[in-house]
Amino acid sequence: MNDPDFSRRIRDAGGRVTAARLAVLRCLAEADEPLTPDEVLEHLARNSDHVPDRVTIYRAIDWLAVHGLVRRLATVGRAARYEPVEDREAHAHFQCRRCAQTRCLPAPTPPLPPLPSGYVAERVELVIHGLCAACRAGENE
Amino acid sequence: MNDPDFSRRIRDAGGRVTAARLAVLRCLAEADEPLTPDEVLEHLARNSDHVPDRVTIYRAIDWLAVHGLVRRLATVGRAARYEPVEDREAHAHFQCRRCAQTRCLPAPTPPLPPLPSGYVAERVELVIHGLCAACRAGENE
DNA sequence: GGTAAAAATGCAATAAAATGGCAAAAAGAC
DNA sequence: GTCTTTTTGCCATTTTATTGCATTTTTACC
């Protein structure tokens, strides 16, 4: 996915195409796992010449989330994690209880359980908790 | 579930039976939805004469979670939410994107997706995102 | 019941994650 | 290029959670 595409998606969502939004969207799209706002900042600090302020990153992510370009995941760790909304949908996430790593898994779309009357479901999320390979190996340290 | 039972479960887990642990466990068990530490504190402040310090509640919850008596849920909201681990297992949770309400749903146990080699799954969690009845009604306010 | 060792608590300080206000800067329409 | 609106940067603040340490409580043992 190239930058003109990012620009178009931002414009289509009704917002201005700014350096911060492009950088954040690009960063999340290039990462192979969901990132926290701080991780986005780190990545930009390393790979980009213009580094937006931390608050700007929060606001850019919020904007992207509200307009459906990124998704905020349910997490057990303290910081929120975000991933881009792309074609490849309906995947589960694995969260390591030791290192808080979060990674994407292939997953069948889970069935939607019955909801109380008046409730509307917008998204189903499947979270697998456990230990990643590295943490499992070093658990006794 | 009565207090002697709570005491026994705490003792069986290898810890001391303290007022704070009993109060927190009881509070979570009586609530019909998962609570944040602050909500636990509020409940105790209203329904109990000895109100533990906020830090004590955090520590009691942590201890209960580490020893398997309560479970920390993956949340989209900012604060962590906990629910007691009881007989009635394997249920999904609904989280309202507007008011952050989190409630339990009946749910089939979802299938476990394949994990990368070396990874171990310990728990599968199903989170339904959407709007609760009240927020759906008042969304245009 | 009384006593000692170990564990848990309260309090103050601190850290981590996120948000709000407002003036300055940038984006887009013309 | 100029103007209007949106976005950004910076500072302060809030919310959520954690750490250090002296004091209190729990429990094992007599």
Short mmCIF file of all heavy atoms in Angstrom, two decimals, chain C residues 2-19:
data_model
loop_
_atom_site.label_atom_id
_atom_site.label_comp_id
_atom_site.label_asym_id
_atom_site.label_seq_id
_atom_site.Cartn_x
_atom_site.Cartn_y
_atom_site.Cartn_z
P DG C 2 -3.40 -13.53 76.31
OP1 DG C 2 -3.22 -12.86 77.62
OP2 DG C 2 -3.85 -12.76 75.15
"O5'" DG C 2 -2.05 -14.26 75.92
"C5'" DG C 2 -1.17 -14.67 76.97
"C4'" DG C 2 0.21 -14.94 76.38
"O4'" DG C 2 0.09 -15.93 75.32
"C3'" DG C 2 0.88 -13.71 75.75
"O3'" DG C 2 2.26 -13.80 76.06
"C2'" DG C 2 0.60 -13.89 74.25
"C1'" DG C 2 0.62 -15.41 74.10
N9 DG C 2 -0.20 -15.97 73.02
C8 DG C 2 -1.51 -15.69 72.74
N7 DG C 2 -1.98 -16.39 71.72
C5 DG C 2 -0.91 -17.17 71.32
C6 DG C 2 -0.81 -18.13 70.28
O6 DG C 2 -1.70 -18.48 69.49
N1 DG C 2 0.45 -18.69 70.22
C2 DG C 2 1.49 -18.38 71.06
N2 DG C 2 2.63 -19.03 70.84
N3 DG C 2 1.42 -17.50 72.04
C4 DG C 2 0.20 -16.93 72.11
P DT C 3 3.29 -12.60 75.71
OP1 DT C 3 4.24 -12.47 76.84
OP2 DT C 3 2.50 -11.44 75.26
"O5'" DT C 3 4.09 -13.18 74.46
"C5'" DT C 3 4.68 -14.48 74.58
"C4'" DT C 3 5.40 -14.83 73.29
"O4'" DT C 3 4.45 -15.41 72.34
"C3'" DT C 3 6.05 -13.64 72.55
"O3'" DT C 3 7.32 -14.05 72.10
"C2'" DT C 3 5.09 -13.37 71.40
"C1'" DT C 3 4.61 -14.79 71.07
N1 DT C 3 3.31 -14.90 70.37
C2 DT C 3 3.17 -15.83 69.37
O2 DT C 3 4.07 -16.56 69.03
N3 DT C 3 1.93 -15.87 68.78
C4 DT C 3 0.84 -15.09 69.08
O4 DT C 3 -0.22 -15.22 68.48
C5 DT C 3 1.04 -14.13 70.14
C7 DT C 3 -0.08 -13.22 70.54
C6 DT C 3 2.26 -14.07 70.72
P DA C 4 8.42 -12.92 71.64
OP1 DA C 4 9.61 -13.03 72.50
OP2 DA C 4 7.73 -11.63 71.46
"O5'" DA C 4 8.82 -13.50 70.21
"C5'" DA C 4 9.17 -14.88 70.11
"C4'" DA C 4 9.12 -15.29 68.65
"O4'" DA C 4 7.73 -15.32 68.20
"C3'" DA C 4 9.85 -14.33 67.71
"O3'" DA C 4 10.55 -15.09 66.74
"C2'" DA C 4 8.74 -13.51 67.08
"C1'" DA C 4 7.58 -14.52 67.04
N9 DA C 4 6.25 -13.93 67.10
C8 DA C 4 5.84 -12.86 67.86
N7 DA C 4 4.56 -12.57 67.72
C5 DA C 4 4.11 -13.50 66.80
C6 DA C 4 2.84 -13.73 66.22
N6 DA C 4 1.76 -13.00 66.51
N1 DA C 4 2.73 -14.75 65.35
C2 DA C 4 3.82 -15.48 65.06
N3 DA C 4 5.06 -15.35 65.54
C4 DA C 4 5.14 -14.35 66.41
P DA C 5 11.52 -14.38 65.68
OP1 DA C 5 12.82 -15.06 65.73
OP2 DA C 5 11.41 -12.91 65.88
"O5'" DA C 5 10.82 -14.77 64.30
"C5'" DA C 5 10.58 -16.15 64.01
"C4'" DA C 5 9.81 -16.25 62.71
"O4'" DA C 5 8.47 -15.71 62.91
"C3'" DA C 5 10.42 -15.46 61.55
"O3'" DA C 5 10.37 -16.27 60.39
"C2'" DA C 5 9.55 -14.22 61.43
"C1'" DA C 5 8.19 -14.71 61.95
N9 DA C 5 7.42 -13.68 62.64
C8 DA C 5 7.88 -12.70 63.48
N7 DA C 5 6.94 -11.91 63.96
C5 DA C 5 5.77 -12.42 63.40
C6 DA C 5 4.43 -12.03 63.51
N6 DA C 5 4.01 -11.01 64.26
N1 DA C 5 3.52 -12.75 62.83
C2 DA C 5 3.92 -13.79 62.08
N3 DA C 5 5.17 -14.25 61.89
C4 DA C 5 6.06 -13.51 62.59
P DA C 6 10.84 -15.67 58.97
OP1 DA C 6 11.53 -16.75 58.25
OP2 DA C 6 11.48 -14.35 59.22
"O5'" DA C 6 9.44 -15.40 58.25
"C5'" DA C 6 8.46 -16.43 58.24
"C4'" DA C 6 7.21 -15.88 57.58
"O4'" DA C 6 6.60 -14.91 58.45
"C3'" DA C 6 7.48 -15.16 56.26
"O3'" DA C 6 6.57 -15.67 55.30
"C2'" DA C 6 7.26 -13.69 56.57
"C1'" DA C 6 6.27 -13.75 57.73
N9 DA C 6 6.35 -12.64 58.67
C8 DA C 6 7.47 -12.06 59.18
N7 DA C 6 7.23 -11.07 60.01
C5 DA C 6 5.85 -10.99 60.04
C6 DA C 6 4.96 -10.15 60.73
N6 DA C 6 5.35 -9.18 61.56
N1 DA C 6 3.64 -10.34 60.54
C2 DA C 6 3.24 -11.33 59.72
N3 DA C 6 3.98 -12.18 59.00
C4 DA C 6 5.29 -11.96 59.21
P DA C 7 6.49 -15.09 53.85
OP1 DA C 7 6.24 -16.24 52.96
OP2 DA C 7 7.63 -14.17 53.64
"O5'" DA C 7 5.16 -14.22 53.92
"C5'" DA C 7 3.99 -14.81 54.48
"C4'" DA C 7 2.90 -13.78 54.53
"O4'" DA C 7 3.21 -12.77 55.51
"C3'" DA C 7 2.69 -13.03 53.21
"O3'" DA C 7 1.30 -13.07 52.95
"C2'" DA C 7 3.21 -11.63 53.48
"C1'" DA C 7 3.00 -11.49 54.98
N9 DA C 7 3.91 -10.61 55.68
C8 DA C 7 5.27 -10.60 55.61
N7 DA C 7 5.83 -9.70 56.40
C5 DA C 7 4.76 -9.10 57.02
C6 DA C 7 4.67 -8.05 57.98
N6 DA C 7 5.75 -7.43 58.49
N1 DA C 7 3.45 -7.68 58.40
C2 DA C 7 2.38 -8.32 57.89
N3 DA C 7 2.33 -9.31 56.99
C4 DA C 7 3.57 -9.65 56.60
P DA C 8 0.66 -12.37 51.71
OP1 DA C 8 -0.49 -13.21 51.32
OP2 DA C 8 1.71 -12.04 50.75
"O5'" DA C 8 0.09 -11.03 52.36
"C5'" DA C 8 -0.86 -11.14 53.42
"C4'" DA C 8 -1.28 -9.76 53.87
"O4'" DA C 8 -0.19 -9.10 54.52
"C3'" DA C 8 -1.75 -8.82 52.75
"O3'" DA C 8 -3.00 -8.28 53.16
"C2'" DA C 8 -0.64 -7.79 52.66
"C1'" DA C 8 -0.11 -7.77 54.08
N9 DA C 8 1.28 -7.38 54.23
C8 DA C 8 2.36 -7.90 53.56
N7 DA C 8 3.52 -7.37 53.94
C5 DA C 8 3.16 -6.46 54.92
C6 DA C 8 3.93 -5.57 55.71
N6 DA C 8 5.25 -5.47 55.63
N1 DA C 8 3.26 -4.79 56.59
C2 DA C 8 1.92 -4.89 56.67
N3 DA C 8 1.09 -5.68 55.98
C4 DA C 8 1.79 -6.45 55.11
P DT C 9 -3.72 -7.14 52.33
OP1 DT C 9 -5.17 -7.33 52.54
OP2 DT C 9 -3.13 -7.07 51.00
"O5'" DT C 9 -3.29 -5.83 53.13
"C5'" DT C 9 -3.78 -5.66 54.46
"C4'" DT C 9 -3.35 -4.30 54.99
"O4'" DT C 9 -1.91 -4.23 54.99
"C3'" DT C 9 -3.84 -3.12 54.17
"O3'" DT C 9 -4.60 -2.29 55.04
"C2'" DT C 9 -2.56 -2.44 53.65
"C1'" DT C 9 -1.50 -2.94 54.63
N1 DT C 9 -0.12 -3.09 54.11
C2 DT C 9 0.90 -2.42 54.73
O2 DT C 9 0.73 -1.67 55.67
N3 DT C 9 2.15 -2.65 54.19
C4 DT C 9 2.46 -3.48 53.13
O4 DT C 9 3.61 -3.61 52.74
C5 DT C 9 1.34 -4.16 52.53
C7 DT C 9 1.56 -5.09 51.38
C6 DT C 9 0.13 -3.94 53.04
P DG C 10 -5.45 -1.06 54.50
OP1 DG C 10 -6.64 -0.92 55.37
OP2 DG C 10 -5.60 -1.22 53.05
"O5'" DG C 10 -4.48 0.17 54.78
"C5'" DG C 10 -4.19 0.53 56.13
"C4'" DG C 10 -3.24 1.71 56.16
"O4'" DG C 10 -1.95 1.31 55.63
"C3'" DG C 10 -3.68 2.90 55.31
"O3'" DG C 10 -3.53 4.07 56.12
"C2'" DG C 10 -2.74 2.88 54.10
"C1'" DG C 10 -1.49 2.23 54.66
N9 DG C 10 -0.71 1.43 53.73
C8 DG C 10 -1.19 0.56 52.79
N7 DG C 10 -0.25 -0.05 52.11
C5 DG C 10 0.93 0.46 52.62
C6 DG C 10 2.28 0.17 52.26
O6 DG C 10 2.71 -0.62 51.41
N1 DG C 10 3.18 0.90 53.03
C2 DG C 10 2.82 1.79 54.02
N2 DG C 10 3.82 2.39 54.66
N3 DG C 10 1.56 2.06 54.37
C4 DG C 10 0.68 1.37 53.62
P DC C 11 -4.12 5.47 55.70
OP1 DC C 11 -4.60 6.13 56.94
OP2 DC C 11 -5.03 5.27 54.56
"O5'" DC C 11 -2.83 6.26 55.21
"C5'" DC C 11 -1.66 6.29 56.03
"C4'" DC C 11 -0.47 6.80 55.23
"O4'" DC C 11 0.12 5.72 54.48
"C3'" DC C 11 -0.82 7.89 54.21
"O3'" DC C 11 0.03 9.00 54.44
"C2'" DC C 11 -0.57 7.24 52.86
"C1'" DC C 11 0.53 6.23 53.24
N1 DC C 11 0.67 5.11 52.28
C2 DC C 11 1.94 4.63 51.98
O2 DC C 11 2.92 5.16 52.52
N3 DC C 11 2.08 3.61 51.11
C4 DC C 11 0.99 3.07 50.55
N4 DC C 11 1.16 2.06 49.70
C5 DC C 11 -0.33 3.54 50.84
C6 DC C 11 -0.44 4.55 51.71
P DA C 12 -0.27 10.42 53.73
OP1 DA C 12 -0.40 11.42 54.81
OP2 DA C 12 -1.33 10.26 52.72
"O5'" DA C 12 1.10 10.69 52.96
"C5'" DA C 12 2.33 10.26 53.55
"C4'" DA C 12 3.39 10.22 52.48
"O4'" DA C 12 3.34 8.95 51.79
"C3'" DA C 12 3.23 11.30 51.42
"O3'" DA C 12 4.49 11.90 51.14
"C2'" DA C 12 2.66 10.56 50.23
"C1'" DA C 12 3.30 9.17 50.40
N9 DA C 12 2.51 8.12 49.77
C8 DA C 12 1.16 8.01 49.72
N7 DA C 12 0.73 6.96 49.06
C5 DA C 12 1.90 6.33 48.66
C6 DA C 12 2.13 5.15 47.93
N6 DA C 12 1.17 4.37 47.44
N1 DA C 12 3.42 4.80 47.70
C2 DA C 12 4.40 5.59 48.17
N3 DA C 12 4.31 6.72 48.88
C4 DA C 12 3.00 7.03 49.10
P DA C 13 4.66 13.00 49.97
OP1 DA C 13 5.57 14.02 50.50
OP2 DA C 13 3.32 13.37 49.45
"O5'" DA C 13 5.43 12.19 48.83
"C5'" DA C 13 6.51 11.35 49.23
"C4'" DA C 13 6.96 10.54 48.03
"O4'" DA C 13 5.98 9.51 47.73
"C3'" DA C 13 7.11 11.37 46.75
"O3'" DA C 13 8.33 11.03 46.12
"C2'" DA C 13 5.90 10.95 45.90
"C1'" DA C 13 5.70 9.51 46.35
N9 DA C 13 4.34 9.01 46.16
C8 DA C 13 3.16 9.62 46.51
N7 DA C 13 2.09 8.95 46.20
C5 DA C 13 2.59 7.81 45.58
C6 DA C 13 1.97 6.70 45.01
N6 DA C 13 0.64 6.53 44.97
N1 DA C 13 2.75 5.73 44.49
C2 DA C 13 4.09 5.90 44.53
N3 DA C 13 4.79 6.90 45.03
C4 DA C 13 3.97 7.84 45.55
P DT C 14 8.78 11.75 44.72
OP1 DT C 14 10.23 11.80 44.68
OP2 DT C 14 7.94 12.96 44.52
"O5'" DT C 14 8.30 10.65 43.66
"C5'" DT C 14 8.74 9.31 43.85
"C4'" DT C 14 8.27 8.46 42.69
"O4'" DT C 14 6.87 8.15 42.85
"C3'" DT C 14 8.42 9.14 41.33
"O3'" DT C 14 9.18 8.28 40.52
"C2'" DT C 14 7.00 9.35 40.85
"C1'" DT C 14 6.26 8.24 41.59
N1 DT C 14 4.82 8.45 41.83
C2 DT C 14 3.93 7.46 41.47
O2 DT C 14 4.28 6.42 40.96
N3 DT C 14 2.61 7.72 41.74
C4 DT C 14 2.09 8.87 42.32
O4 DT C 14 0.89 8.98 42.50
C5 DT C 14 3.07 9.88 42.68
C7 DT C 14 2.60 11.17 43.31
C6 DT C 14 4.36 9.62 42.42
P DA C 15 9.55 8.64 38.98
OP1 DA C 15 10.93 8.20 38.77
OP2 DA C 15 9.13 10.03 38.68
"O5'" DA C 15 8.60 7.64 38.19
"C5'" DA C 15 8.57 6.30 38.57
"C4'" DA C 15 7.56 5.58 37.73
"O4'" DA C 15 6.23 5.95 38.17
"C3'" DA C 15 7.62 5.91 36.24
"O3'" DA C 15 7.52 4.68 35.59
"C2'" DA C 15 6.42 6.81 36.01
"C1'" DA C 15 5.44 6.29 37.06
N9 DA C 15 4.44 7.23 37.57
C8 DA C 15 4.64 8.43 38.17
N7 DA C 15 3.54 9.02 38.56
C5 DA C 15 2.55 8.14 38.20
C6 DA C 15 1.14 8.18 38.33
N6 DA C 15 0.48 9.18 38.91
N1 DA C 15 0.44 7.12 37.86
C2 DA C 15 1.11 6.11 37.30
N3 DA C 15 2.41 5.96 37.10
C4 DA C 15 3.08 7.02 37.59
P DA C 16 7.76 4.56 34.03
OP1 DA C 16 8.40 3.25 33.80
OP2 DA C 16 8.36 5.82 33.54
"O5'" DA C 16 6.27 4.47 33.49
"C5'" DA C 16 5.45 3.42 33.95
"C4'" DA C 16 4.10 3.52 33.30
"O4'" DA C 16 3.34 4.60 33.91
"C3'" DA C 16 4.12 3.81 31.81
"O3'" DA C 16 3.17 2.92 31.27
"C2'" DA C 16 3.72 5.28 31.71
"C1'" DA C 16 2.78 5.40 32.90
N9 DA C 16 2.64 6.70 33.53
C8 DA C 16 3.62 7.60 33.84
N7 DA C 16 3.17 8.67 34.46
C5 DA C 16 1.80 8.44 34.57
C6 DA C 16 0.76 9.20 35.13
N6 DA C 16 0.94 10.38 35.72
N1 DA C 16 -0.49 8.69 35.06
C2 DA C 16 -0.66 7.49 34.48
N3 DA C 16 0.24 6.68 33.92
C4 DA C 16 1.46 7.23 34.00
P DA C 17 2.94 2.85 29.69
OP1 DA C 17 2.64 1.46 29.37
OP2 DA C 17 4.02 3.59 29.00
"O5'" DA C 17 1.59 3.70 29.55
"C5'" DA C 17 0.39 3.16 30.08
"C4'" DA C 17 -0.73 4.10 29.75
"O4'" DA C 17 -0.56 5.30 30.52
"C3'" DA C 17 -0.80 4.54 28.29
"O3'" DA C 17 -2.10 4.22 27.83
"C2'" DA C 17 -0.51 6.03 28.32
"C1'" DA C 17 -0.91 6.40 29.74
N9 DA C 17 -0.21 7.54 30.31
C8 DA C 17 1.13 7.82 30.24
N7 DA C 17 1.47 8.93 30.88
C5 DA C 17 0.26 9.39 31.39
C6 DA C 17 -0.06 10.52 32.17
N6 DA C 17 0.84 11.42 32.57
N1 DA C 17 -1.36 10.69 32.52
C2 DA C 17 -2.26 9.78 32.12
N3 DA C 17 -2.07 8.68 31.39
C4 DA C 17 -0.78 8.54 31.05
P DA C 18 -2.58 4.70 26.37
OP1 DA C 18 -3.59 3.73 25.94
OP2 DA C 18 -1.41 5.00 25.54
"O5'" DA C 18 -3.32 6.06 26.71
"C5'" DA C 18 -4.35 6.06 27.70
"C4'" DA C 18 -4.84 7.47 27.91
"O4'" DA C 18 -3.81 8.27 28.51
"C3'" DA C 18 -5.27 8.21 26.64
"O3'" DA C 18 -6.65 8.48 26.78
"C2'" DA C 18 -4.39 9.47 26.63
"C1'" DA C 18 -4.00 9.60 28.09
N9 DA C 18 -2.76 10.31 28.35
C8 DA C 18 -1.50 10.01 27.90
N7 DA C 18 -0.57 10.84 28.31
C5 DA C 18 -1.26 11.74 29.09
C6 DA C 18 -0.85 12.88 29.82
N6 DA C 18 0.42 13.30 29.87
N1 DA C 18 -1.79 13.57 30.49
C2 DA C 18 -3.07 13.15 30.44
N3 DA C 18 -3.58 12.10 29.79
C4 DA C 18 -2.61 11.44 29.13
P DT C 19 -7.47 9.29 25.71
OP1 DT C 19 -8.85 8.77 25.76
OP2 DT C 19 -6.71 9.34 24.46
"O5'" DT C 19 -7.50 10.76 26.32
"C5'" DT C 19 -7.93 10.92 27.66
"C4'" DT C 19 -7.91 12.39 28.03
"O4'" DT C 19 -6.56 12.83 28.21
"C3'" DT C 19 -8.53 13.32 26.98
"O3'" DT C 19 -9.50 14.10 27.68
"C2'" DT C 19 -7.35 14.14 26.47
"C1'" DT C 19 -6.44 14.13 27.68
N1 DT C 19 -4.99 14.32 27.44
C2 DT C 19 -4.34 15.30 28.15
O2 DT C 19 -4.90 16.03 28.95
N3 DT C 19 -3.00 15.40 27.89
C4 DT C 19 -2.27 14.62 27.01
O4 DT C 19 -1.06 14.81 26.88
C5 DT C 19 -3.00 13.62 26.30
C7 DT C 19 -2.30 12.73 25.33
C6 DT C 19 -4.32 13.51 26.54
#
